[in-house]
Amino acid sequence: MKLDTRHMRYLTSEDWRVLTAVEMGSKNHEVVPTPLIAKIAGLRGGSGVHKSISSLAKVGLIAKVKNAKYDGYRLTYGGLDYLALNTYRKRNDVYSVGNQIGVGKESDIYVVADEKGLQRVLKIHRLGRISFRTVKANRDYLRNRSSGSWMYMSRLAALKEYAFMKVLNEHGFPVPTPLAQSRHTIVMSLIDAFPLRQIRKVPDPASLYADLISLILRLAKYGLIHGDFNEFNILILENQIPPDSEKQAVESEHPSGGTLTPIIIDFPQMVSIDHPDAEMYFDRDVTCIKRFFERRFHFISSESGPFLSDARKSVGKDNSKRLDVEVEASGFSRKMARELESYMKEMAVDGDRPSNSQAEEEGEGESDDGEDDDVPVSIEETEGSNIEVG
Ligand code: ADP
Ligand code: MG
């Protein structure tokens, strides 16, 4: 789904109130009755509400639900996107939205900028966009939740990702800096690097391999397993050394005068090292790296493992904190983790693990997705609403 910010600047403050009212109403109603929308929005007189409802519906931010027993509306992903962007705009986290740089099964990634033009990344979680409408078995699951499940689960994924990125960042792991979170989205720093997947050649595969394995081990030492550690979720940052420091360039491991630093992204599948399936996740992460290095760089490590049983012994060593515990304390509870996990299992959300695809060496098809001629769309002129949304 494309993020279309064109209509944002044309929404009146009443429209924002009504949109917010639909969001609040959806906490308890799958279809929010029109009178309830008016009540929550606190807009008397009627005609204003109806005008707003029809303008919001016209641009697809809410949708009229047919065949319902009563007249009502539901929030669309577009509407939720606008609410999140409006929150960021008010807090000066995001000023303009630029190119889409990634699209996964379950997320959309955009480059955005703050007021000063500093680029950041907006990740929009879109769980359920494919599955919910098609898989009948999931209807009951949806019905059992008070709020629209796709919305709730996408929010959980964003909360989880933000919570993990925050503790990892605070403990010196090479991850983007988490900057803001709202609803089903997060804002983080932009890493100016390509995913490992797009890298054809490295000067010293053994050393990069060792770095990646030691990252897996360091995560374990802090009580965590990434769960989706693969060439799509590792960005390779090339640290350029200024041309005048010739000596360093000569000593560097990289011919262009830089070193390679892996940055890890994509955390909705992270698990604690105490998870019942920890060993499966750990082995899978290790295997992904081994397989990729063998196929892409023809590098095979002479050592077997590492194995979880060994990694477990390092937990808590050298003053390492249990970050799985810290995340729980930060508000992403065990219950939320379980809900998200069972959803992901049920929907077979499987990250972007490449194991099932044999498209490994196709090469050309994988563009970097950017369309450089897109002019960033400013959301600055948007009329804000003053409603606090919890
Ligand atoms: P998904 O859950 O869809 O796999 P990811 O978080 O892995 O989402 O992001 C998808 C792609 O977007 C990545 O492979 C990477 O190319 C790009 N990307 C994501 N976050 C960043 C970032 N902070 N900086 C630069 N590129 C990013
Ligand atoms: Mg990914």
Side-chain angles (χ1 to χ4, degrees), residues 26 44 53 77 111 143 147 182 196 200 210 252 306 317 323 334 355 359 365 383:
S26 7
R44 296 189 192 286
I53 286 180
Y77 253 128
V111 173
R143 208 172 287 133
S147 53
S182 172
L196 178 57
R200 298 281 134 203
S252 145
K317 289 264 167 68
L323 299 187
R334 209 173 280 199
S355 47
E383 266 231 64

Side-chain angles (χ1 to χ4, degrees), residues 2-14:
K2 214 169 151 56
L3 172 64
D4 180 358
T5 56
R6 273 177 309 173
H7 305 294
M8 215 160 161
R9 69 188 67 185
Y10 303 116
L11 298 194
T12 65
S13 57
E14 285 202 348

Side-chain angles (χ1 to χ4, degrees), residues 261-286:
T261 308
I263 311 285
I264 328 167
I265 57 166
D266 205 358
F267 308 108
Q269 324 220 13
M270 277 199 112
V271 292
S272 159
I273 200 166
D274 293 338
H275 188 283
D277 300 324
E279 189 151 25
M280 183 275 286
Y281 287 117
F282 184 90
D283 290 346
R284 196 171 68 182
D285 281 0
V286 171

Side-chain angles (χ1 to χ4, degrees), residues 191-205:
I191 308 295
D192 188 12
F194 289 110
L196 178 57
R197 162 81 175 171
Q198 279 167 248
I199 299 199
R200 298 281 134 203
K201 237 180 131 179
V202 290
D204 186 359

Side-chain angles (χ1 to χ4, degrees), residues 204 241 245-259:
D204 186 359
I241 289 171
S245 55
E246 261 174 53
K247 187 167 171 286
Q248 269 178 299
V250 171
E251 282 169 6
S252 145
E253 336 157 8
H254 195 249
S256 70
T259 52

Side-chain angles (χ1 to χ4, degrees), residues 123 228 230 232-233 265-266 352:
K123 178 168 179 178
D228 204 6
N230 61 50
F232 295 88
N233 293 332
I265 57 166
D266 205 358
D352 27 28

Side-chain angles (χ1 to χ4, degrees), residues 315-333:
V315 176
K317 289 264 167 68
D318 308 319
N319 291 326
S320 58
K321 293 235 174 73
R322 287 291 301 243
L323 299 187
D324 48 346
V325 178
E326 222 162 279
V327 159
E328 255 175 50
S330 81
F332 188 76
S333 67

